[in-house]
Amino acid sequence: MSLQTITSRIRKAEKKAGRAEGSTKLIAVSKVQPNERVEAVLAEGHRVFGENRVQEAAGKWPDFRAKFEGVELHLIGPLQTNKARQAIEMFQAIHSVDRPKLATTLARLAQETGHCPDLFLQVNTGQEPQKSGVLPEDADKFVADCLALDLPVLGLMCIPPADEEPSLHFALLAKIAARNGLNGLSMGMSGDFESAIALGATHVRVGSAIFGARAYGAA
Ligand SMILES: *Cc1c(COP(=O)(O)O)cnc(C)c1O
């Protein structure tokens, strides 16, 4: 599929849900993709990209940024505290704030540098042991604690379990966000972004549907 196809599917899903055109931001997830494919999407004019590793992003984005203006980078994968400083310098948004210790570290760095990317707090809606994020029952407190730290919390993020109906998880995330007064919802990937938009996604993270299958598994 192409960037254009995905964009028009997003616009259709917005319309069907009675939402404003352009109310969903498309994050093109470029992790592991060959540089030629990423450059082709940049050349088409797209500027919002997602990476799941700080190291990988640091290796390729400085060159792309030298060549294309206005790139906006979103970190969507787990962040170690010792890479937080590098992350806040490189990314305009972090979708994977998944534990109190990382929140505290980001708050300290924000104080020190006077700058912090937009943040999404990750909720482990499927309560999967191998997945990052706070449990749904701990989410309200985590939101409150992050806001008390003066962090710029835009919203919540989830990655539904692979073998479950994703819309149940999108609905749960939307409900937790609403009761906490948060508008941002980072949810929906290649296989399910339309149902995420129907349930209020403001940010969809789409990789393989734009770039093609990843050569080796980093999903
Ligand atoms: C890789 C990844 C995506 C994109 O997945 P696709 O199925 O290729 O669209 C979205 N979100 C996260 C957190 C990812 O790691």
Side-chain angles (χ1 to χ4, degrees), residues 29 31 52 76-77 157 159 188-191 205-209 214 218-219:
V29 177
K31 67 181 182 199
N52 71 336
I76 60 171
M157 179 272 225
I159 309 170
M189 320 203 307
S190 289
R205 312 177 307 263
V206 180
S208 44
R214 285 179 287 277

Side-chain angles (χ1 to χ4, degrees), residues 15-38:
K15 200 165 177 190
K16 195 168 159 206
R19 297 180 41 181
E21 184 177 331
S23 54
T24 315
K25 186 175 266 199
L26 171 60
I27 301 170
V29 177
S30 50
K31 67 181 182 199
V32 188
Q33 296 289 352
N35 285 348
E36 311 82 71
R37 289 189 194 166
V38 181

